[in-house]
Amino acid sequence: MSEALVSFLVEQLGSIIFQQMEQNVRLVVNVKKEVVNLTLNLEAIQPVLAEAERKQVKEANVRRWLNNLKEVSYEIDDVVDEWSTEILKKQIEKQGENAVVPKKKVCFSIPFHCLCNGQVQVTQIIFRRDIAVRIKELNEKLALIHEQRKFYKFLENEIEFEQHERLKSFSIVDESEIFGRDYERNKLVSQLVSENSEERKKPLVISIVGMGGIGKTTLAQLAYNDVKVKNCFHTRIWVCVSDPFVQIVVAKAILESLKVTVPNSNELETFVQLIYDSIKGKKFLLVLDDVWDSNHRKWEPFLTTLRCGGLGSRILVTTRIAQVANTMGTTSDHTIHLKELGEETCRSLFYHIAFFDGERNESKKFEDIGNEIVKRCKGLPLAAKTLGSLMRYKHTVQQWVDVLNSVIWKFEEVEDQVFQMLLLSYHDLEPQSKRCLLYCATFPKDHKIVKDELIELWMSQDYLKVKGGNKEDKIVGQRCFENLVLRSFFQDIEEDYEGNIESCKMHDVVHDFVQYLTKDECFSMVVKGANERMELPGDEVRHLSLMFAPEGPFPVSSLNCKRLRTLTAFESKLTSIGVELISQSKSLRTLNLSENSILEVPKEIGGLIHLRYLDLSQNDELKELPDSLCDLYNLQTLRLVGCSQLVKFPDEEAMRKLTKLKHLYVEGSPRLKSKGIGRLSGLQKLDVFHLNGYRGEDKEGTLKLQDLKNLNQLEGRLWITHLESVEDASEGVKACLSEKHLLHHLHLDFLCLPCNKWGREEGTGQNDREILNGLQPHGDLESLSIGNCQLATSPCPDWILSLHNLTSLKFWSFSNCELLSGPFGRLPSLESLGFWEMKKVKKVGVEFLGIEERELQSSSSSSSSLILFPKLKTLQFGWMKEWEEWEGVGGDFQNNITIMPSLSRLDFHWCSKLGTLPDFLRKTQVRSVTVFGCPILEDRVRDKTSEEWAKISHVPDIQF
């Protein structure tokens, strides 16, 4: 963690000097020399940090040295951040002066900015002197730490680092000690001995992927020693690869397993030639256990040489890193992602070891406690074995209770066995990824971690800065997150319909591990009473999580919060943010008080100048935000989701100061008078753009479409709601959506659902088409959905065909629409199309395909074929209660027309009157049809003699 922090500070110190020179702002004089010395000391310490990080796990004196370094580094970070903030503040003030007409008042000409008040000048002088003094003091502290590093004799060359001792695996296994894994074993053995791939030109590679201690090697051993496997292969080879991966070492191990004399040579060519000669034409099984290195160039000599084996040869790889499986050429069908054991299996394994599988009666009195201990293992076999071994020597119920109520990592057995395995994965991470992983200790166990929120939290702590600063933080964060997923630090992955990861969880044992590594910096505190005085375990705590705080003000605190960088309240009901807390917590970067009962945000909040992340979501009684919120010059993320009573947003003019605000979330806060959002030209994420405020309330200060004009940095997904409230139909053009080239997904909703209005009034909607036509996005939009519109004919806006990259198109709640007409079939990239609640549609005909009668006539006489819906894969209809008939293309016209050649899924939900399907479905490749809540169609399809059955009888999966 220190490694990444120091690297970041070196960058920041160089940047601050550059900012002074570039902006010609001399906020601090005569400190350039001190900054240079700070940088030199940090750079001198950098080379030893990787080894110091490894040693501090076991060596307390090294841990203390690192803690001292981190403390000084954090102080340096604060000073540099204050310095940068002051520069930014002066820039914004200068821009504000240039943007407004000067008022009549006397100003003296002072270089770089106009100070109209003597007190301001004095304040600036004091600030400069304070910065200079603090940097000098920090330099003295850092120089001492730099000198002390010599006492520990750290190695500076990473290659010379002492590797953690890694136990070598072997192929022999005692099956009586194995519990569970029957399904995985049978699947693996089947893939090893299967003859489906006998004609392959290279060995089939099968990979077992999973977190440390999950049982990958055990499963490989079971398969390796299976009778079917033994009889299937001429030669079996077991090699423990481990890390670091040295090609010649692995080559020697393969030859030794083949019982070939190993030559005394340092040339890889010599070894691979011997391997080639030894296995040529032979059907072999090679197990490569515990592979870490995913460098394809290093594995290529082996993979190429092994192609000489006999047909049906196999390579079995075990790894913690999914990328390794890809590098080795494993397909998804031949990758076994090993999951946790079931609770009953885990319990059997635990008791088997705890009681030597001896007298079960002896275990009865410990059963209730033992079952709770097993739950803490969360299906991890290594944890069950380790705790089982620990309990062998606990002979009283009280001893078992003590273990149950203790912090798991305080037991030496857990630290030496379970955590040692996880340390291997941890030390294999880059310094940046280590910091990101350890920050997850701030979450409670079993917490659902939303990916985008996590990345924004990392950003708030400045974990995602890279050398040179060429990559955007969110791109770096995405890479870090994916890296941690690939290395099995996260589990229970949830994806959206496009396969993008939305959220995950952390295994309880992994959570214990990161808490173990951050026990000095991260602390979780259960608040038992509103008046309880909180005490932190030490001054090193930087990240504090409060749990179960009862309803009432922030707990009275006697602790010193000045070092806190994160404060989060989980499962709490706090009603206020104490002024005392704000005055003490000046270093806060992250403040998360979501899902509390906050009634008011004090104006003192503006004093948290380092704050980058503020979450006040789901505070139902919060009604206003102070203008001082805009004094948070470094604020990057503001979350106000589900604040249903929130009305007052900071002053529109003051909003211009939030130049660093990139992410704003206001879904479920329709009363918010947020006119100032239009000032946030640097905004990148805005979940909902809610027009004209709450239905029936004063519209002053609410958003108009023209307020979108300058938000051209918006990216990803945007909802525009309450379009029915637009009075001037031409206003849509003023939103300038065509200039927002980073937006990929657009949702247009004419209703305000949070206003408790579930339908539009009859006779409204005369301007809907003109409004839609004015909201034309750029041509590279990927998905579009339109809802609660009153169009009677085509639901499509006039510009629909300009969206040449559109892959998803959805329409819902078109209460007046009678025809599904539009150029749907002409959209070249469309993959998913859906219609819901098209209440007046009775018949779907040729107009749905996007062709007219004259085109049908010409196509019948043309030699060329017309392809409609060329890439459509999914088509869905739902809640169309008047729909009776779906007509296709009749007669000879369909001979030269190809319709939906890529269709794989067709769904009908609650179309109660639908009875007919189009003939062209006979020629599609559809794989799945779902008919639900459509009684007429269901009866006809179930009748194997009916025409409707004949149209989809070729579909392999039909569900009712």
Side-chain angles (χ1 to χ4, degrees), residues 167-174 178 181 188 207-225 238-242 287-292 316-320 336 338 381 385 421:
L167 296 176
K168 291 288 185 179
S169 69
F170 47 88
S171 63
I172 300 171
V173 64
D174 182 356
I178 308 303
R181 300 301 187 206
L188 178 55
S207 292
I208 306 172
V209 180
M211 65 183 291
I214 199 70
K216 302 180 295 297
T217 298
T218 300
L219 179 59
Q221 290 169 331
L222 287 172
Y224 188 87
N225 290 284
W238 182 283
V239 176
C240 180
V241 179
S242 199
V287 175
L288 298 172
D289 187 42
D290 197 26
V291 180
W292 291 75
L316 176 60
V317 177
T318 74
T319 180
R320 305 181 187 196
I336 298 175
L338 208 54
K385 289 180 179 179
M421 291 287 289

Short mmCIF file of all heavy atoms in Angstrom, two decimals, residues 167-174 178 181 188 207-225 238-242 287-292 316-320 336 338 381 385 421:
data_model
loop_
_atom_site.label_atom_id
_atom_site.label_comp_id
_atom_site.label_asym_id
_atom_site.label_seq_id
_atom_site.Cartn_x
_atom_site.Cartn_y
_atom_site.Cartn_z
N LEU A 167 4.75 -24.38 -0.76
CA LEU A 167 4.73 -25.83 -0.72
C LEU A 167 4.50 -26.38 -2.12
O LEU A 167 3.63 -25.91 -2.84
CB LEU A 167 3.62 -26.32 0.21
CG LEU A 167 3.78 -25.94 1.69
CD1 LEU A 167 2.55 -26.40 2.47
CD2 LEU A 167 5.05 -26.53 2.28
N LYS A 168 5.33 -27.33 -2.50
CA LYS A 168 5.19 -27.96 -3.82
C LYS A 168 4.09 -29.02 -3.76
O LYS A 168 4.04 -29.82 -2.83
CB LYS A 168 6.52 -28.60 -4.23
CG LYS A 168 7.62 -27.60 -4.55
CD LYS A 168 7.35 -26.88 -5.85
CE LYS A 168 8.50 -25.96 -6.22
NZ LYS A 168 8.25 -25.26 -7.51
N SER A 169 3.26 -29.01 -4.77
CA SER A 169 2.19 -30.01 -4.82
C SER A 169 2.72 -31.31 -5.40
O SER A 169 3.80 -31.36 -6.00
CB SER A 169 1.03 -29.50 -5.69
OG SER A 169 1.42 -29.43 -7.04
N PHE A 170 1.97 -32.38 -5.22
CA PHE A 170 2.33 -33.69 -5.77
C PHE A 170 1.05 -34.38 -6.21
O PHE A 170 -0.06 -33.96 -5.88
CB PHE A 170 3.09 -34.53 -4.74
CG PHE A 170 2.45 -34.53 -3.38
CD1 PHE A 170 1.47 -35.45 -3.05
CD2 PHE A 170 2.82 -33.59 -2.43
CE1 PHE A 170 0.87 -35.45 -1.81
CE2 PHE A 170 2.22 -33.57 -1.18
CZ PHE A 170 1.25 -34.51 -0.86
N SER A 171 1.20 -35.49 -6.93
CA SER A 171 0.04 -36.09 -7.58
C SER A 171 -0.73 -37.06 -6.70
O SER A 171 -1.89 -37.38 -6.99
CB SER A 171 0.49 -36.83 -8.86
OG SER A 171 1.37 -37.89 -8.52
N ILE A 172 -0.13 -37.53 -5.63
CA ILE A 172 -0.78 -38.55 -4.80
C ILE A 172 -1.86 -37.92 -3.92
O ILE A 172 -1.67 -36.83 -3.39
CB ILE A 172 0.26 -39.26 -3.91
CG1 ILE A 172 1.32 -39.93 -4.80
CG2 ILE A 172 -0.39 -40.28 -2.99
CD1 ILE A 172 2.51 -40.48 -4.04
N VAL A 173 -2.98 -38.63 -3.75
CA VAL A 173 -4.07 -38.12 -2.95
C VAL A 173 -4.71 -39.26 -2.16
O VAL A 173 -4.79 -40.39 -2.64
CB VAL A 173 -5.14 -37.43 -3.85
CG1 VAL A 173 -5.79 -38.43 -4.79
CG2 VAL A 173 -6.19 -36.71 -3.02
N ASP A 174 -5.14 -38.95 -0.94
CA ASP A 174 -5.87 -39.91 -0.10
C ASP A 174 -7.35 -39.57 -0.22
O ASP A 174 -7.82 -38.59 0.34
CB ASP A 174 -5.41 -39.79 1.35
CG ASP A 174 -6.11 -40.80 2.26
OD1 ASP A 174 -7.01 -41.53 1.77
OD2 ASP A 174 -5.77 -40.84 3.47
N ILE A 178 -11.07 -36.62 1.29
CA ILE A 178 -11.72 -35.67 0.39
C ILE A 178 -13.24 -35.72 0.61
O ILE A 178 -13.84 -36.81 0.66
CB ILE A 178 -11.40 -35.99 -1.09
CG1 ILE A 178 -9.88 -36.10 -1.28
CG2 ILE A 178 -11.99 -34.91 -1.99
CD1 ILE A 178 -9.11 -34.87 -0.87
N ARG A 181 -17.11 -32.59 -4.16
CA ARG A 181 -16.46 -32.47 -5.47
C ARG A 181 -16.78 -33.63 -6.41
O ARG A 181 -16.08 -33.80 -7.41
CB ARG A 181 -14.93 -32.33 -5.33
CG ARG A 181 -14.46 -31.13 -4.52
CD ARG A 181 -14.93 -29.84 -5.11
NE ARG A 181 -14.37 -28.66 -4.45
CZ ARG A 181 -14.96 -27.48 -4.42
NH1 ARG A 181 -16.14 -27.34 -5.01
NH2 ARG A 181 -14.41 -26.46 -3.84
N LEU A 188 -14.76 -33.33 -14.91
CA LEU A 188 -13.36 -33.23 -15.34
C LEU A 188 -12.87 -34.53 -15.97
O LEU A 188 -12.23 -34.51 -17.03
CB LEU A 188 -12.49 -32.85 -14.14
CG LEU A 188 -10.98 -32.74 -14.39
CD1 LEU A 188 -10.68 -31.76 -15.52
CD2 LEU A 188 -10.25 -32.31 -13.12
N SER A 207 -8.80 -26.11 -17.90
CA SER A 207 -8.31 -25.30 -16.78
C SER A 207 -9.27 -25.35 -15.60
O SER A 207 -10.49 -25.29 -15.78
CB SER A 207 -8.11 -23.84 -17.21
OG SER A 207 -7.04 -23.73 -18.12
N ILE A 208 -8.71 -25.44 -14.40
CA ILE A 208 -9.47 -25.32 -13.15
C ILE A 208 -9.09 -23.96 -12.55
O ILE A 208 -7.92 -23.73 -12.25
CB ILE A 208 -9.13 -26.45 -12.17
CG1 ILE A 208 -9.32 -27.81 -12.82
CG2 ILE A 208 -9.99 -26.34 -10.91
CD1 ILE A 208 -8.82 -28.97 -11.97
N VAL A 209 -10.07 -23.10 -12.39
CA VAL A 209 -9.82 -21.73 -11.93
C VAL A 209 -10.56 -21.51 -10.61
O VAL A 209 -11.73 -21.89 -10.47
CB VAL A 209 -10.29 -20.69 -12.97
CG1 VAL A 209 -10.01 -19.27 -12.49
CG2 VAL A 209 -9.61 -20.94 -14.32
N GLY A 210 -9.89 -20.86 -9.66
CA GLY A 210 -10.55 -20.56 -8.38
C GLY A 210 -9.60 -19.88 -7.42
O GLY A 210 -8.38 -19.84 -7.64
N MET A 211 -10.15 -19.36 -6.34
CA MET A 211 -9.35 -18.65 -5.35
C MET A 211 -8.43 -19.61 -4.60
O MET A 211 -8.63 -20.84 -4.63
CB MET A 211 -10.25 -17.92 -4.36
CG MET A 211 -11.11 -18.82 -3.51
SD MET A 211 -12.25 -17.94 -2.40
CE MET A 211 -11.08 -17.22 -1.24
N GLY A 212 -7.43 -19.08 -3.93
CA GLY A 212 -6.53 -19.90 -3.14
C GLY A 212 -7.26 -20.64 -2.04
O GLY A 212 -8.09 -20.07 -1.34
N GLY A 213 -6.96 -21.94 -1.88
CA GLY A 213 -7.57 -22.73 -0.82
C GLY A 213 -8.92 -23.31 -1.18
O GLY A 213 -9.57 -23.93 -0.33
N ILE A 214 -9.35 -23.16 -2.42
CA ILE A 214 -10.69 -23.63 -2.83
C ILE A 214 -10.69 -25.11 -3.20
O ILE A 214 -11.74 -25.74 -3.26
CB ILE A 214 -11.24 -22.79 -4.00
CG1 ILE A 214 -12.75 -22.92 -4.13
CG2 ILE A 214 -10.56 -23.17 -5.31
CD1 ILE A 214 -13.51 -22.26 -3.02
N GLY A 215 -9.48 -25.68 -3.47
CA GLY A 215 -9.40 -27.11 -3.76
C GLY A 215 -9.06 -27.44 -5.21
O GLY A 215 -9.38 -28.54 -5.68
N LYS A 216 -8.39 -26.56 -5.91
CA LYS A 216 -8.04 -26.81 -7.32
C LYS A 216 -7.08 -27.98 -7.46
O LYS A 216 -7.28 -28.88 -8.29
CB LYS A 216 -7.42 -25.54 -7.94
CG LYS A 216 -8.30 -24.31 -7.88
CD LYS A 216 -7.63 -23.11 -8.50
CE LYS A 216 -6.41 -22.66 -7.74
NZ LYS A 216 -6.72 -22.21 -6.35
N THR A 217 -6.03 -27.95 -6.65
CA THR A 217 -5.03 -29.03 -6.73
C THR A 217 -5.65 -30.35 -6.33
O THR A 217 -5.38 -31.40 -6.96
CB THR A 217 -3.83 -28.70 -5.81
OG1 THR A 217 -3.21 -27.49 -6.26
CG2 THR A 217 -2.82 -29.83 -5.82
N THR A 218 -6.49 -30.35 -5.32
CA THR A 218 -7.15 -31.60 -4.88
C THR A 218 -7.99 -32.19 -6.01
O THR A 218 -7.96 -33.41 -6.24
CB THR A 218 -8.03 -31.32 -3.65
OG1 THR A 218 -7.21 -30.82 -2.59
CG2 THR A 218 -8.74 -32.59 -3.21
N LEU A 219 -8.75 -31.36 -6.69
CA LEU A 219 -9.56 -31.85 -7.81
C LEU A 219 -8.68 -32.42 -8.91
O LEU A 219 -8.99 -33.48 -9.49
CB LEU A 219 -10.43 -30.72 -8.35
CG LEU A 219 -11.33 -31.06 -9.53
CD1 LEU A 219 -12.29 -32.20 -9.18
CD2 LEU A 219 -12.11 -29.82 -10.01
N ALA A 220 -7.57 -31.74 -9.21
CA ALA A 220 -6.64 -32.24 -10.23
C ALA A 220 -6.06 -33.59 -9.80
O ALA A 220 -5.91 -34.51 -10.62
CB ALA A 220 -5.53 -31.22 -10.47
N GLN A 221 -5.73 -33.74 -8.52
CA GLN A 221 -5.21 -35.01 -8.01
C GLN A 221 -6.23 -36.13 -8.16
O GLN A 221 -5.89 -37.26 -8.55
CB GLN A 221 -4.81 -34.86 -6.54
CG GLN A 221 -3.59 -33.99 -6.30
CD GLN A 221 -3.40 -33.65 -4.84
OE1 GLN A 221 -4.37 -33.59 -4.08
NE2 GLN A 221 -2.16 -33.41 -4.43
N LEU A 222 -7.50 -35.83 -7.81
CA LEU A 222 -8.56 -36.84 -7.94
C LEU A 222 -8.68 -37.33 -9.38
O LEU A 222 -8.80 -38.54 -9.63
CB LEU A 222 -9.89 -36.26 -7.46
CG LEU A 222 -10.05 -36.05 -5.95
CD1 LEU A 222 -11.34 -35.27 -5.67
CD2 LEU A 222 -10.07 -37.39 -5.22
N ALA A 223 -8.66 -36.40 -10.32
CA ALA A 223 -8.80 -36.78 -11.73
C ALA A 223 -7.55 -37.52 -12.21
O ALA A 223 -7.64 -38.52 -12.93
CB ALA A 223 -9.04 -35.53 -12.58
N TYR A 224 -6.39 -37.05 -11.80
CA TYR A 224 -5.12 -37.64 -12.22
C TYR A 224 -5.02 -39.11 -11.82
O TYR A 224 -4.46 -39.94 -12.54
CB TYR A 224 -3.98 -36.84 -11.60
CG TYR A 224 -2.59 -37.19 -12.07
CD1 TYR A 224 -2.06 -36.60 -13.21
CD2 TYR A 224 -1.80 -38.10 -11.36
CE1 TYR A 224 -0.77 -36.90 -13.64
CE2 TYR A 224 -0.51 -38.41 -11.77
CZ TYR A 224 0.00 -37.81 -12.90
OH TYR A 224 1.28 -38.11 -13.33
N ASN A 225 -5.60 -39.43 -10.66
CA ASN A 225 -5.51 -40.80 -10.14
C ASN A 225 -6.75 -41.63 -10.41
O ASN A 225 -6.85 -42.77 -9.94
CB ASN A 225 -5.25 -40.75 -8.63
CG ASN A 225 -3.86 -40.25 -8.30
OD1 ASN A 225 -2.88 -40.98 -8.43
ND2 ASN A 225 -3.77 -38.98 -7.89
N TRP A 238 3.08 -34.86 -13.94
CA TRP A 238 2.62 -33.86 -12.96
C TRP A 238 3.75 -32.87 -12.69
O TRP A 238 4.86 -33.26 -12.31
CB TRP A 238 2.22 -34.54 -11.65
CG TRP A 238 1.68 -33.59 -10.62
CD1 TRP A 238 2.41 -32.73 -9.84
CD2 TRP A 238 0.32 -33.37 -10.27
NE1 TRP A 238 1.59 -32.00 -9.03
CE2 TRP A 238 0.28 -32.37 -9.27
CE3 TRP A 238 -0.88 -33.92 -10.70
CZ2 TRP A 238 -0.89 -31.92 -8.69
CZ3 TRP A 238 -2.06 -33.47 -10.12
CH2 TRP A 238 -2.08 -32.49 -9.13
N VAL A 239 3.48 -31.58 -12.91
CA VAL A 239 4.48 -30.54 -12.68
C VAL A 239 3.85 -29.42 -11.85
O VAL A 239 2.80 -28.89 -12.22
CB VAL A 239 5.02 -29.96 -14.00
CG1 VAL A 239 5.98 -28.80 -13.72
CG2 VAL A 239 5.71 -31.03 -14.82
N CYS A 240 4.48 -29.09 -10.74
CA CYS A 240 4.06 -27.92 -9.96
C CYS A 240 4.84 -26.71 -10.47
O CYS A 240 6.06 -26.64 -10.29
CB CYS A 240 4.32 -28.15 -8.47
SG CYS A 240 3.83 -26.75 -7.44
N VAL A 241 4.15 -25.79 -11.11
CA VAL A 241 4.82 -24.66 -11.77
C VAL A 241 5.13 -23.55 -10.77
O VAL A 241 6.26 -23.09 -10.65
CB VAL A 241 3.94 -24.11 -12.92
CG1 VAL A 241 4.64 -22.92 -13.59
CG2 VAL A 241 3.65 -25.21 -13.92
N SER A 242 4.12 -23.09 -10.06
CA SER A 242 4.22 -22.05 -9.04
C SER A 242 4.81 -20.76 -9.61
O SER A 242 4.77 -20.52 -10.81
CB SER A 242 5.02 -22.57 -7.83
OG SER A 242 4.77 -21.78 -6.70
N VAL A 287 -0.26 -32.34 -16.25
CA VAL A 287 -0.87 -31.45 -15.27
C VAL A 287 0.12 -30.35 -14.94
O VAL A 287 1.25 -30.63 -14.51
CB VAL A 287 -1.28 -32.20 -13.99
CG1 VAL A 287 -1.81 -31.21 -12.95
CG2 VAL A 287 -2.32 -33.26 -14.30
N LEU A 288 -0.29 -29.10 -15.16
CA LEU A 288 0.51 -27.94 -14.78
C LEU A 288 -0.21 -27.30 -13.60
O LEU A 288 -1.20 -26.58 -13.76
CB LEU A 288 0.64 -26.96 -15.95
CG LEU A 288 1.36 -27.50 -17.19
CD1 LEU A 288 1.24 -26.52 -18.35
CD2 LEU A 288 2.82 -27.78 -16.87
N ASP A 289 0.26 -27.59 -12.41
CA ASP A 289 -0.43 -27.14 -11.19
C ASP A 289 0.11 -25.79 -10.72
O ASP A 289 1.32 -25.53 -10.78
CB ASP A 289 -0.22 -28.19 -10.09
CG ASP A 289 -1.04 -27.87 -8.84
OD1 ASP A 289 -2.21 -27.48 -8.99
OD2 ASP A 289 -0.49 -28.00 -7.74
N ASP A 290 -0.81 -24.93 -10.27
CA ASP A 290 -0.47 -23.64 -9.66
C ASP A 290 0.28 -22.72 -10.63
O ASP A 290 1.38 -22.24 -10.35
CB ASP A 290 0.38 -23.88 -8.40
CG ASP A 290 0.43 -22.65 -7.50
OD1 ASP A 290 -0.51 -21.84 -7.56
OD2 ASP A 290 1.42 -22.50 -6.76
N VAL A 291 -0.35 -22.45 -11.75
CA VAL A 291 0.24 -21.56 -12.76
C VAL A 291 -0.18 -20.12 -12.47
O VAL A 291 -1.35 -19.83 -12.25
CB VAL A 291 -0.22 -21.96 -14.19
CG1 VAL A 291 0.41 -21.02 -15.22
CG2 VAL A 291 0.17 -23.40 -14.48
N TRP A 292 0.81 -19.23 -12.51
CA TRP A 292 0.56 -17.81 -12.22
C TRP A 292 0.84 -16.91 -13.43
O TRP A 292 0.20 -15.89 -13.60
CB TRP A 292 1.46 -17.34 -11.07
CG TRP A 292 1.11 -17.93 -9.75
CD1 TRP A 292 1.36 -19.22 -9.33
CD2 TRP A 292 0.43 -17.29 -8.67
NE1 TRP A 292 0.89 -19.40 -8.06
CE2 TRP A 292 0.32 -18.23 -7.62
CE3 TRP A 292 -0.07 -16.01 -8.48
CZ2 TRP A 292 -0.29 -17.94 -6.41
CZ3 TRP A 292 -0.67 -15.70 -7.27
CH2 TRP A 292 -0.77 -16.65 -6.25
N LEU A 316 -3.85 -30.25 -18.35
CA LEU A 316 -4.73 -29.79 -17.28
C LEU A 316 -4.00 -28.72 -16.48
O LEU A 316 -2.92 -28.96 -15.94
CB LEU A 316 -5.13 -30.97 -16.38
CG LEU A 316 -5.98 -30.63 -15.15
CD1 LEU A 316 -7.30 -29.97 -15.56
CD2 LEU A 316 -6.26 -31.89 -14.33
N VAL A 317 -4.59 -27.54 -16.40
CA VAL A 317 -3.98 -26.39 -15.72
C VAL A 317 -4.80 -26.02 -14.50
O VAL A 317 -6.03 -25.98 -14.57
CB VAL A 317 -3.91 -25.17 -16.69
CG1 VAL A 317 -3.34 -23.95 -15.97
CG2 VAL A 317 -3.09 -25.51 -17.92
N THR A 318 -4.14 -25.77 -13.37
CA THR A 318 -4.84 -25.18 -12.22
C THR A 318 -4.26 -23.78 -11.99
O THR A 318 -3.04 -23.59 -12.05
CB THR A 318 -4.68 -26.02 -10.94
OG1 THR A 318 -3.36 -25.86 -10.41
CG2 THR A 318 -4.98 -27.48 -11.21
N THR A 319 -5.12 -22.82 -11.73
CA THR A 319 -4.66 -21.44 -11.58
C THR A 319 -5.68 -20.62 -10.79
O THR A 319 -6.87 -20.95 -10.76
CB THR A 319 -4.42 -20.79 -12.96
OG1 THR A 319 -3.97 -19.44 -12.78
CG2 THR A 319 -5.70 -20.77 -13.79
N ARG A 320 -5.20 -19.56 -10.19
CA ARG A 320 -6.10 -18.62 -9.52
C ARG A 320 -6.52 -17.49 -10.46
O ARG A 320 -7.39 -16.69 -10.12
CB ARG A 320 -5.39 -17.98 -8.32
CG ARG A 320 -4.82 -18.98 -7.34
CD ARG A 320 -4.16 -18.26 -6.17
NE ARG A 320 -3.48 -19.23 -5.30
CZ ARG A 320 -3.07 -18.97 -4.08
NH1 ARG A 320 -3.29 -17.78 -3.56
NH2 ARG A 320 -2.45 -19.89 -3.36
N ILE A 336 -13.28 -24.96 -15.70
CA ILE A 336 -14.06 -25.29 -14.51
C ILE A 336 -13.78 -24.23 -13.46
O ILE A 336 -12.68 -24.14 -12.92
CB ILE A 336 -13.69 -26.68 -13.98
CG1 ILE A 336 -14.01 -27.76 -15.02
CG2 ILE A 336 -14.43 -26.97 -12.67
CD1 ILE A 336 -13.56 -29.16 -14.63
N LEU A 338 -14.13 -23.31 -10.00
CA LEU A 338 -14.40 -24.06 -8.79
C LEU A 338 -15.05 -23.17 -7.73
O LEU A 338 -14.51 -22.11 -7.39
CB LEU A 338 -13.10 -24.66 -8.25
CG LEU A 338 -13.21 -25.95 -7.44
CD1 LEU A 338 -13.97 -27.02 -8.23
CD2 LEU A 338 -11.83 -26.46 -7.08
N PRO A 381 -12.59 -24.94 1.58
CA PRO A 381 -12.03 -26.17 2.18
C PRO A 381 -10.81 -25.92 3.05
O PRO A 381 -10.69 -26.50 4.13
CB PRO A 381 -11.67 -27.02 0.95
CG PRO A 381 -12.55 -26.51 -0.14
CD PRO A 381 -12.72 -25.06 0.11
N LYS A 385 -10.40 -27.01 6.97
CA LYS A 385 -9.31 -27.87 7.44
C LYS A 385 -8.51 -27.18 8.54
O LYS A 385 -8.17 -27.78 9.56
CB LYS A 385 -8.38 -28.21 6.27
CG LYS A 385 -8.97 -29.16 5.25
CD LYS A 385 -7.95 -29.43 4.15
CE LYS A 385 -8.48 -30.40 3.11
NZ LYS A 385 -7.49 -30.64 2.03
N MET A 421 -1.73 -18.60 1.97
CA MET A 421 -2.16 -18.88 0.60
C MET A 421 -2.66 -17.61 -0.08
O MET A 421 -2.37 -17.35 -1.25
CB MET A 421 -3.29 -19.92 0.62
CG MET A 421 -2.85 -21.30 1.05
SD MET A 421 -1.88 -22.12 -0.23
CE MET A 421 -3.16 -22.45 -1.44
#
